[in-house]
Amino acid sequence: MSEGPQRRERSPGMKLLFAGLVSLVLMVPLMLVYALVYDRQDQSNTAQEAINAGWGGSQVIAGPVLVVPYRTTEVQNEIVDGKTVSKTVEVERELFVSPVSNRVSTTIKPQERHKSIYRSVLFEAAVNGRAAFRLPDDLPRFGVSAEALMWDRAELRIGASDARGLTAGGTITANGQSLDVQPGKGPQATSRQGFFAFVPWNGQGGLTVDYAFALRGSRSLSLVPRGGQTTWDVASSWASPSFGGAFLPESRAITEKGFRAHYLVDKLALGRAPVTTDEEGPPVIDDGSGNVTYPTDSTAAQARAVTVGLVEPVNLYSKVDRSVKYGFLFIGFTFLAFFLFDVVGGARVAAVEYLLTGAGLVLFFVLLLAFAEVIGFTPAYLAASAAVIGLLTAYSAAVLKSWKRARFIGALLVGLYALLFVLLNLEAWSLMIGSVLLFAALAGVMYTTRNIDWGSVGRREAEG
């Protein structure tokens, strides 16, 4: 007698459909991991802000600029008894004179501060400069007469966008005479923060200004060039700088011991007159680590700045974020191997086994994020991948009923994790390498399954 019919075998097409549905289900936890990376990065930024509090944020320096008040007349309209009445009134305005040349030298001394598992890059900068001023011979063509200038109130202004970093004071010398430095009244490009000094000059001949100050900050240092020609030489022991802003350095050298950069910005590149009656607002600052600072004052034209960022050598959150984007490839290749063992090799893989295997693959990214925050990205990658490969290889031996097949799964995972590590470190080549890999995988699947009848339905088999 027969013991009854055996379970009906699904067609290869149905098996592929079930594997695809499980893959789609796993996209949900993969997206949750993606959101977790953003949450942890936000916590890291919050911790860095706490570290930077009281020290100074990303710094923008501007100036020196010579500011001279002057009197002028203008017509104002008023409504009197329902009628528009025009009258001429005398008002006070400011003339902003940029230097003919400004040579700045800056040495940046970086340091790292930690709070729990988070860290922030801080710095101390020593800024020294020499600027030369001269009034243009055709000053009236700029709308201001020399007789209207009030030289007894002329000021030299130097800006630092976060005045908390000006803890060591500053010095200004004009034509060899030391000036008394006062806080505040910085250029508008630094949101009026900085310091100034009254300058004893009547506009005759030239004015040579030597200045120096120390500045504390974090992440990046920017310089707003203005006037005839601006030269900036910057050096630091930090080995991982980023160069951004409106202008790139004319020359730079980066070694394991630090970097040096030389900037040269001419007045024609600035697109702004050396003598003006208005000022430019704060610039947009990108410190190179993904943090972009936009000016809050949109009424004034934005100043142009050059920026040197002190970025972390390895931004672990960006790498984990990129690795999660390859998560569907890990799931796809592993499920594909299981599927081929199922339809070609005769191993029967249930939907739950696909699901548990996929959960292990997703867990890799959680382990990677958790370990990377503590021990760094590369050690975390090795530890997390070793744990997941070991777990899934052992599980595959039970699912596929063969250690030989399990070793193939283990070798496949080793290759995938090794390839992902290469893709994360060779960003420029990642698209080409990934495309070639997908093409090779598709070709292999097409060759292996060329004789499968996808529409066939298994028949019941009964014993004698």
PDB file of all heavy atoms in Angstrom, residues 135-142:
ATOM      1  N   LEU A 135      44.501 105.557  -0.566  1.00  0.00           N
ATOM      2  CA  LEU A 135      43.269 106.027  -1.176  1.00  0.00           C
ATOM      3  C   LEU A 135      43.449 106.177  -2.678  1.00  0.00           C
ATOM      4  O   LEU A 135      44.512 106.631  -3.148  1.00  0.00           O
ATOM      5  CB  LEU A 135      42.868 107.379  -0.588  1.00  0.00           C
ATOM      6  CG  LEU A 135      42.294 107.383   0.837  1.00  0.00           C
ATOM      7  CD1 LEU A 135      41.930 108.807   1.231  1.00  0.00           C
ATOM      8  CD2 LEU A 135      41.077 106.482   0.932  1.00  0.00           C
ATOM      9  N   PRO A 136      42.451 105.801  -3.457  1.00  0.00           N
ATOM     10  CA  PRO A 136      42.571 105.976  -4.907  1.00  0.00           C
ATOM     11  C   PRO A 136      42.599 107.455  -5.269  1.00  0.00           C
ATOM     12  O   PRO A 136      41.958 108.288  -4.624  1.00  0.00           O
ATOM     13  CB  PRO A 136      41.313 105.276  -5.452  1.00  0.00           C
ATOM     14  CG  PRO A 136      40.358 105.256  -4.304  1.00  0.00           C
ATOM     15  CD  PRO A 136      41.186 105.165  -3.070  1.00  0.00           C
ATOM     16  N   ASP A 137      43.345 107.782  -6.309  1.00  0.00           N
ATOM     17  CA  ASP A 137      43.444 109.176  -6.742  1.00  0.00           C
ATOM     18  C   ASP A 137      42.110 109.709  -7.258  1.00  0.00           C
ATOM     19  O   ASP A 137      41.853 110.916  -7.188  1.00  0.00           O
ATOM     20  CB  ASP A 137      44.510 109.305  -7.839  1.00  0.00           C
ATOM     21  CG  ASP A 137      45.905 108.962  -7.318  1.00  0.00           C
ATOM     22  OD1 ASP A 137      46.136 109.140  -6.092  1.00  0.00           O
ATOM     23  OD2 ASP A 137      46.736 108.477  -8.117  1.00  0.00           O
ATOM     24  N   ASP A 138      41.281 108.814  -7.768  1.00  0.00           N
ATOM     25  CA  ASP A 138      39.983 109.239  -8.308  1.00  0.00           C
ATOM     26  C   ASP A 138      38.864 108.941  -7.318  1.00  0.00           C
ATOM     27  O   ASP A 138      37.781 108.471  -7.706  1.00  0.00           O
ATOM     28  CB  ASP A 138      39.707 108.554  -9.647  1.00  0.00           C
ATOM     29  CG  ASP A 138      39.795 107.033  -9.539  1.00  0.00           C
ATOM     30  OD1 ASP A 138      40.250 106.537  -8.480  1.00  0.00           O
ATOM     31  OD2 ASP A 138      39.394 106.339 -10.488  1.00  0.00           O
ATOM     32  N   LEU A 139      39.098 109.203  -6.027  1.00  0.00           N
ATOM     33  CA  LEU A 139      38.114 108.905  -4.989  1.00  0.00           C
ATOM     34  C   LEU A 139      36.741 109.515  -5.285  1.00  0.00           C
ATOM     35  O   LEU A 139      35.720 108.850  -5.061  1.00  0.00           O
ATOM     36  CB  LEU A 139      38.627 109.403  -3.629  1.00  0.00           C
ATOM     37  CG  LEU A 139      37.706 109.155  -2.432  1.00  0.00           C
ATOM     38  CD1 LEU A 139      37.478 107.667  -2.227  1.00  0.00           C
ATOM     39  CD2 LEU A 139      38.290 109.799  -1.177  1.00  0.00           C
ATOM     40  N   PRO A 140      36.631 110.764  -5.779  1.00  0.00           N
ATOM     41  CA  PRO A 140      35.290 111.324  -6.050  1.00  0.00           C
ATOM     42  C   PRO A 140      34.467 110.474  -7.011  1.00  0.00           C
ATOM     43  O   PRO A 140      33.235 110.520  -6.974  1.00  0.00           O
ATOM     44  CB  PRO A 140      35.598 112.712  -6.629  1.00  0.00           C
ATOM     45  CG  PRO A 140      36.930 113.062  -6.029  1.00  0.00           C
ATOM     46  CD  PRO A 140      37.687 111.774  -5.994  1.00  0.00           C
ATOM     47  N   ARG A 141      35.106 109.707  -7.879  1.00  0.00           N
ATOM     48  CA  ARG A 141      34.355 108.872  -8.811  1.00  0.00           C
ATOM     49  C   ARG A 141      33.632 107.721  -8.097  1.00  0.00           C
ATOM     50  O   ARG A 141      32.758 107.088  -8.674  1.00  0.00           O
ATOM     51  CB  ARG A 141      35.290 108.305  -9.873  1.00  0.00           C
ATOM     52  CG  ARG A 141      35.855 109.385 -10.794  1.00  0.00           C
ATOM     53  CD  ARG A 141      36.617 108.776 -11.949  1.00  0.00           C
ATOM     54  NE  ARG A 141      37.069 109.798 -12.891  1.00  0.00           N
ATOM     55  CZ  ARG A 141      37.708 109.533 -14.036  1.00  0.00           C
ATOM     56  NH1 ARG A 141      37.969 108.267 -14.361  1.00  0.00           N
ATOM     57  NH2 ARG A 141      38.085 110.512 -14.834  1.00  0.00           N
ATOM     58  N   PHE A 142      34.028 107.435  -6.850  1.00  0.00           N
ATOM     59  CA  PHE A 142      33.339 106.419  -6.052  1.00  0.00           C
ATOM     60  C   PHE A 142      32.184 107.025  -5.263  1.00  0.00           C
ATOM     61  O   PHE A 142      31.575 106.346  -4.444  1.00  0.00           O
ATOM     62  CB  PHE A 142      34.324 105.749  -5.094  1.00  0.00           C
ATOM     63  CG  PHE A 142      35.345 104.884  -5.793  1.00  0.00           C
ATOM     64  CD1 PHE A 142      36.581 105.415  -6.162  1.00  0.00           C
ATOM     65  CD2 PHE A 142      35.080 103.562  -6.083  1.00  0.00           C
ATOM     66  CE1 PHE A 142      37.523 104.632  -6.808  1.00  0.00           C
ATOM     67  CE2 PHE A 142      36.022 102.764  -6.728  1.00  0.00           C
ATOM     68  CZ  PHE A 142      37.248 103.295  -7.101  1.00  0.00           C
TER      69      PHE A 142
END
